[in-house]
Amino acid sequence: MRIFDGDELLIATHNKGKAREISALLSDYVAHFSTAADHDLPEPEETGETFAENAILKAQAAAQATGKICLSDDSGLDVSALNGDPGIYSARWGGPEKDFNLAMKKVHEALGDNPDRSAAFICVLAIGWPDGHSEVFEGRVEGDIIWPMRGEKGFGYDPVFVPKGYDVTFAEMDPAEKHAISHRAMAFDLLVTQCFKK
Ligand code: ITT
């Protein structure tokens, strides 16, 4: 396992909701952040067939373009009754406008009256070095899809996801509550324990 020993980390995401969560989760470990927007990076095409392939592809695209150590996040919602959809296509279900009200409605309509509402959020983080090396970490949280959507916080599919053991959606939780249990927080726990010096 390679240790992060830089003092700057480039967060290779174009998703503002993710960038907000990632900088909060890493604030104790990294002195300086920059983002894909700061470096005017193009959004790479996600041609991988797994979360891990896409995460590595995004981290390496940014690392090769800038010469910096880059962290990417590939994530999505895996709905059991939809055979894992929208999965790696979670962002694409929002269409060109990235309209997640539309994406959540598509999930709701695809489920119809199927009694199996179980789902999981998955987050795969990749940290990529400019020499081509990458490390990958995965987090997962189980829950259920509800309808109608509830809550205004968070981003993406948060208003339709109730984590197991709770009766509120991720979008009804304060950020700290979501960070205590989320797929992204679990992947970050692995990243910081294995890859960051205390
Ligand atoms: P980048 O590739 O630039 O990071 P993206 O939005 O295209 O941004 P993904 O390809 O990983 O990222 O798509 C993941 C989608 O899954 C994202 O757009 C959200 O809609 C959804 N998602 C991921 N994590 C989520 C979370 O914590 N809460 C709600 N929705 C989430």
Side-chain angles (χ1 to χ4, degrees), residues 12-15 18 21 43 46 58 73-77 90-91 98 100 121 155-158 170 178 183-184:
T13 180
H14 290 81
N15 180 320
K18 276 188 193 176
E21 292 193 359
E43 218 173 321
E46 297 188 20
K58 290 189 277 191
D73 165 318
D74 202 60
S75 44
L77 183 67
S90 293
K98 301 195 175 171
F100 290 101
F121 264 129
F155 67 98
Y157 296 84
D158 281 342
F170 266 171
K178 180 180 172 188
H183 51 312
R184 185 159 294 102

Short mmCIF file of all heavy atoms in Angstrom, two decimals, residues 12-15 18 21 43 46 58 73-77 90-91 98 100 121 155-158 170 178 183-184, ligand 1:
data_model
loop_
_atom_site.label_atom_id
_atom_site.label_comp_id
_atom_site.label_asym_id
_atom_site.label_seq_id
_atom_site.Cartn_x
_atom_site.Cartn_y
_atom_site.Cartn_z
N ALA A 12 -10.62 14.94 -7.85
CA ALA A 12 -10.96 14.86 -9.27
C ALA A 12 -12.44 14.53 -9.44
O ALA A 12 -12.81 13.43 -9.83
CB ALA A 12 -10.08 13.80 -9.95
N THR A 13 -13.28 15.50 -9.09
CA THR A 13 -14.71 15.32 -9.33
C THR A 13 -15.29 16.60 -9.88
O THR A 13 -14.81 17.70 -9.56
CB THR A 13 -15.46 14.91 -8.05
OG1 THR A 13 -16.86 14.76 -8.36
CG2 THR A 13 -15.33 15.94 -6.94
N HIS A 14 -16.33 16.45 -10.70
CA HIS A 14 -17.07 17.61 -11.21
C HIS A 14 -18.41 17.74 -10.48
O HIS A 14 -19.24 18.55 -10.86
CB HIS A 14 -17.28 17.49 -12.72
CG HIS A 14 -16.01 17.65 -13.49
ND1 HIS A 14 -15.11 16.63 -13.65
CD2 HIS A 14 -15.47 18.73 -14.11
CE1 HIS A 14 -14.08 17.06 -14.37
NE2 HIS A 14 -14.27 18.34 -14.66
N ASN A 15 -18.61 16.89 -9.48
CA ASN A 15 -19.89 16.87 -8.76
C ASN A 15 -19.72 17.68 -7.46
O ASN A 15 -18.95 17.30 -6.58
CB ASN A 15 -20.25 15.40 -8.48
CG ASN A 15 -21.55 15.24 -7.73
OD1 ASN A 15 -21.85 16.01 -6.82
ND2 ASN A 15 -22.30 14.23 -8.10
N LYS A 18 -20.43 15.85 -4.10
CA LYS A 18 -19.32 14.98 -3.69
C LYS A 18 -18.15 15.80 -3.17
O LYS A 18 -17.56 15.46 -2.15
CB LYS A 18 -18.80 14.20 -4.90
CG LYS A 18 -19.54 12.97 -5.26
CD LYS A 18 -18.68 12.32 -6.36
CE LYS A 18 -19.36 11.25 -7.09
NZ LYS A 18 -18.51 10.75 -8.19
N GLU A 21 -18.65 16.86 0.35
CA GLU A 21 -18.53 15.77 1.33
C GLU A 21 -17.07 15.33 1.47
O GLU A 21 -16.59 15.07 2.57
CB GLU A 21 -19.41 14.58 0.93
CG GLU A 21 -20.89 14.92 1.04
CD GLU A 21 -21.80 13.70 0.96
OE1 GLU A 21 -21.31 12.57 0.81
OE2 GLU A 21 -23.02 13.89 1.08
N GLU A 43 -14.15 16.55 -18.19
CA GLU A 43 -14.76 15.40 -17.52
C GLU A 43 -14.46 14.17 -18.37
O GLU A 43 -14.90 14.09 -19.51
CB GLU A 43 -16.29 15.63 -17.44
CG GLU A 43 -16.86 15.14 -16.14
CD GLU A 43 -18.32 15.49 -15.95
OE1 GLU A 43 -18.73 16.62 -16.31
OE2 GLU A 43 -19.03 14.63 -15.43
N GLU A 46 -16.58 7.93 -18.85
CA GLU A 46 -16.49 6.79 -17.92
C GLU A 46 -16.77 5.50 -18.69
O GLU A 46 -17.90 5.04 -18.75
CB GLU A 46 -17.44 7.01 -16.74
CG GLU A 46 -17.04 8.24 -15.95
CD GLU A 46 -17.80 8.44 -14.65
OE1 GLU A 46 -18.39 7.46 -14.14
OE2 GLU A 46 -17.80 9.58 -14.16
N LYS A 58 -10.74 7.97 -13.63
CA LYS A 58 -10.88 9.40 -13.32
C LYS A 58 -9.66 9.93 -12.56
O LYS A 58 -9.18 11.03 -12.82
CB LYS A 58 -12.17 9.65 -12.52
CG LYS A 58 -13.42 9.45 -13.35
CD LYS A 58 -14.68 9.90 -12.61
CE LYS A 58 -15.23 8.88 -11.68
NZ LYS A 58 -16.59 9.22 -11.17
N ASP A 73 -13.82 9.61 -6.97
CA ASP A 73 -14.90 8.87 -6.30
C ASP A 73 -15.84 8.41 -7.39
O ASP A 73 -16.35 9.22 -8.16
CB ASP A 73 -15.58 9.86 -5.34
CG ASP A 73 -16.94 9.42 -4.80
OD1 ASP A 73 -17.76 8.89 -5.58
OD2 ASP A 73 -17.20 9.66 -3.61
N ASP A 74 -16.02 7.10 -7.52
CA ASP A 74 -17.07 6.61 -8.41
C ASP A 74 -18.09 5.92 -7.54
O ASP A 74 -17.76 5.04 -6.72
CB ASP A 74 -16.53 5.66 -9.48
CG ASP A 74 -17.50 5.62 -10.66
OD1 ASP A 74 -17.74 6.69 -11.26
OD2 ASP A 74 -18.07 4.55 -10.96
N SER A 75 -19.33 6.32 -7.67
CA SER A 75 -20.33 5.86 -6.72
C SER A 75 -21.67 5.71 -7.42
O SER A 75 -21.82 6.08 -8.58
CB SER A 75 -20.43 6.86 -5.56
OG SER A 75 -20.45 8.18 -6.04
N GLY A 76 -22.63 5.15 -6.69
CA GLY A 76 -23.95 5.00 -7.27
C GLY A 76 -24.87 4.17 -6.41
O GLY A 76 -24.48 3.68 -5.35
N LEU A 77 -26.07 4.04 -6.91
CA LEU A 77 -27.15 3.36 -6.19
C LEU A 77 -27.41 2.02 -6.87
O LEU A 77 -27.66 1.97 -8.08
CB LEU A 77 -28.40 4.25 -6.28
CG LEU A 77 -29.64 3.76 -5.54
CD1 LEU A 77 -29.39 3.78 -4.03
CD2 LEU A 77 -30.83 4.66 -5.88
N SER A 90 -25.55 5.63 -12.50
CA SER A 90 -26.38 6.48 -11.64
C SER A 90 -26.38 7.93 -12.08
O SER A 90 -27.44 8.58 -12.09
CB SER A 90 -25.91 6.38 -10.19
OG SER A 90 -26.15 5.09 -9.69
N ALA A 91 -25.22 8.48 -12.46
CA ALA A 91 -25.20 9.88 -12.90
C ALA A 91 -25.93 10.00 -14.24
O ALA A 91 -26.70 10.94 -14.45
CB ALA A 91 -23.76 10.38 -13.04
N LYS A 98 -28.42 16.34 -15.81
CA LYS A 98 -28.13 15.82 -14.47
C LYS A 98 -29.29 16.13 -13.51
O LYS A 98 -29.12 16.72 -12.45
CB LYS A 98 -26.81 16.38 -13.94
CG LYS A 98 -25.66 16.00 -14.87
CD LYS A 98 -24.30 16.19 -14.27
CE LYS A 98 -23.22 15.68 -15.23
NZ LYS A 98 -21.88 15.96 -14.89
N PHE A 100 -31.70 14.91 -11.03
CA PHE A 100 -31.90 13.74 -10.16
C PHE A 100 -33.34 13.56 -9.71
O PHE A 100 -33.71 12.46 -9.29
CB PHE A 100 -30.89 13.74 -9.00
CG PHE A 100 -29.53 13.44 -9.54
CD1 PHE A 100 -28.61 14.44 -9.77
CD2 PHE A 100 -29.23 12.15 -9.96
CE1 PHE A 100 -27.39 14.16 -10.36
CE2 PHE A 100 -28.02 11.86 -10.56
CZ PHE A 100 -27.10 12.87 -10.76
N PHE A 121 -26.08 2.01 -1.43
CA PHE A 121 -25.19 3.01 -2.04
C PHE A 121 -23.77 2.45 -1.97
O PHE A 121 -23.35 1.92 -0.93
CB PHE A 121 -25.20 4.31 -1.24
CG PHE A 121 -26.14 5.36 -1.73
CD1 PHE A 121 -27.04 5.98 -0.86
CD2 PHE A 121 -26.11 5.78 -3.07
CE1 PHE A 121 -27.89 6.97 -1.30
CE2 PHE A 121 -26.97 6.78 -3.51
CZ PHE A 121 -27.86 7.37 -2.63
N PHE A 155 -27.43 15.25 -1.76
CA PHE A 155 -27.45 15.45 -3.22
C PHE A 155 -27.90 14.16 -3.88
O PHE A 155 -28.16 13.15 -3.20
CB PHE A 155 -26.06 15.89 -3.73
CG PHE A 155 -24.99 14.85 -3.59
CD1 PHE A 155 -24.63 14.04 -4.67
CD2 PHE A 155 -24.32 14.65 -2.40
CE1 PHE A 155 -23.64 13.08 -4.57
CE2 PHE A 155 -23.33 13.69 -2.27
CZ PHE A 155 -22.99 12.90 -3.35
N GLY A 156 -27.97 14.18 -5.20
CA GLY A 156 -28.27 12.96 -5.97
C GLY A 156 -29.53 12.25 -5.49
O GLY A 156 -30.60 12.86 -5.35
N TYR A 157 -29.38 10.96 -5.22
CA TYR A 157 -30.51 10.10 -4.86
C TYR A 157 -30.84 10.12 -3.35
O TYR A 157 -31.65 9.31 -2.88
CB TYR A 157 -30.22 8.65 -5.27
CG TYR A 157 -30.08 8.43 -6.75
CD1 TYR A 157 -28.87 8.64 -7.42
CD2 TYR A 157 -31.16 7.98 -7.52
CE1 TYR A 157 -28.73 8.43 -8.79
CE2 TYR A 157 -31.03 7.75 -8.89
CZ TYR A 157 -29.82 7.98 -9.51
OH TYR A 157 -29.70 7.76 -10.87
N ASP A 158 -30.22 11.00 -2.57
CA ASP A 158 -30.42 11.00 -1.12
C ASP A 158 -31.90 11.05 -0.70
O ASP A 158 -32.28 10.40 0.28
CB ASP A 158 -29.66 12.16 -0.47
CG ASP A 158 -28.18 11.86 -0.31
OD1 ASP A 158 -27.80 10.68 -0.37
OD2 ASP A 158 -27.40 12.81 -0.12
N PHE A 170 -31.38 9.98 3.69
CA PHE A 170 -30.10 10.69 3.75
C PHE A 170 -30.32 12.20 3.57
O PHE A 170 -29.59 13.01 4.13
CB PHE A 170 -29.15 10.19 2.64
CG PHE A 170 -28.21 9.09 3.07
CD1 PHE A 170 -27.43 8.42 2.12
CD2 PHE A 170 -28.06 8.73 4.41
CE1 PHE A 170 -26.53 7.42 2.50
CE2 PHE A 170 -27.16 7.73 4.80
CZ PHE A 170 -26.39 7.08 3.84
N LYS A 178 -25.06 11.84 8.19
CA LYS A 178 -24.81 11.04 6.98
C LYS A 178 -23.36 10.55 6.98
O LYS A 178 -23.08 9.39 6.69
CB LYS A 178 -25.12 11.86 5.71
CG LYS A 178 -24.87 11.07 4.42
CD LYS A 178 -25.18 11.85 3.14
CE LYS A 178 -24.73 11.07 1.91
NZ LYS A 178 -24.82 11.80 0.65
N HIS A 183 -21.74 5.25 2.74
CA HIS A 183 -20.82 4.52 1.86
C HIS A 183 -19.52 5.30 1.65
O HIS A 183 -18.43 4.76 1.68
CB HIS A 183 -21.52 4.26 0.52
CG HIS A 183 -22.15 5.49 -0.10
ND1 HIS A 183 -22.95 6.36 0.61
CD2 HIS A 183 -22.07 6.02 -1.34
CE1 HIS A 183 -23.33 7.35 -0.16
NE2 HIS A 183 -22.81 7.17 -1.36
N ARG A 184 -19.65 6.63 1.46
CA ARG A 184 -18.46 7.46 1.23
C ARG A 184 -17.60 7.53 2.49
O ARG A 184 -16.38 7.42 2.43
CB ARG A 184 -18.94 8.86 0.79
CG ARG A 184 -17.83 9.81 0.38
CD ARG A 184 -18.33 10.95 -0.50
NE ARG A 184 -18.80 10.47 -1.78
CZ ARG A 184 -20.09 10.32 -2.11
NH1 ARG A 184 -21.04 10.70 -1.27
NH2 ARG A 184 -20.43 9.82 -3.27
P1 ITT B 1 -17.70 12.77 -11.08
O1 ITT B 1 -17.60 11.57 -11.97
O2 ITT B 1 -17.15 14.02 -11.70
O3 ITT B 1 -17.11 12.53 -9.73
P2 ITT B 1 -20.52 12.17 -11.18
O4 ITT B 1 -21.73 12.79 -10.55
O5 ITT B 1 -20.55 11.91 -12.67
O6 ITT B 1 -19.25 13.09 -10.81
P3 ITT B 1 -20.43 9.31 -10.70
O7 ITT B 1 -20.18 8.97 -12.11
O8 ITT B 1 -19.66 8.56 -9.65
O9 ITT B 1 -20.16 10.85 -10.41
O10 ITT B 1 -21.97 9.18 -10.43
C1 ITT B 1 -22.46 8.88 -9.18
C2 ITT B 1 -23.89 9.34 -9.04
O11 ITT B 1 -24.47 8.56 -7.98
C3 ITT B 1 -23.95 10.79 -8.59
O12 ITT B 1 -24.14 11.66 -9.67
C4 ITT B 1 -25.13 10.79 -7.64
O13 ITT B 1 -26.30 11.03 -8.33
C5 ITT B 1 -25.18 9.36 -7.11
N1 ITT B 1 -24.60 9.33 -5.77
C6 ITT B 1 -23.33 9.00 -5.41
N2 ITT B 1 -23.14 9.17 -4.09
C7 ITT B 1 -24.30 9.65 -3.61
C8 ITT B 1 -24.74 10.05 -2.33
O14 ITT B 1 -23.93 10.05 -1.28
N3 ITT B 1 -25.98 10.48 -2.21
C9 ITT B 1 -26.82 10.52 -3.26
N4 ITT B 1 -26.49 10.19 -4.50
C10 ITT B 1 -25.24 9.75 -4.68
#
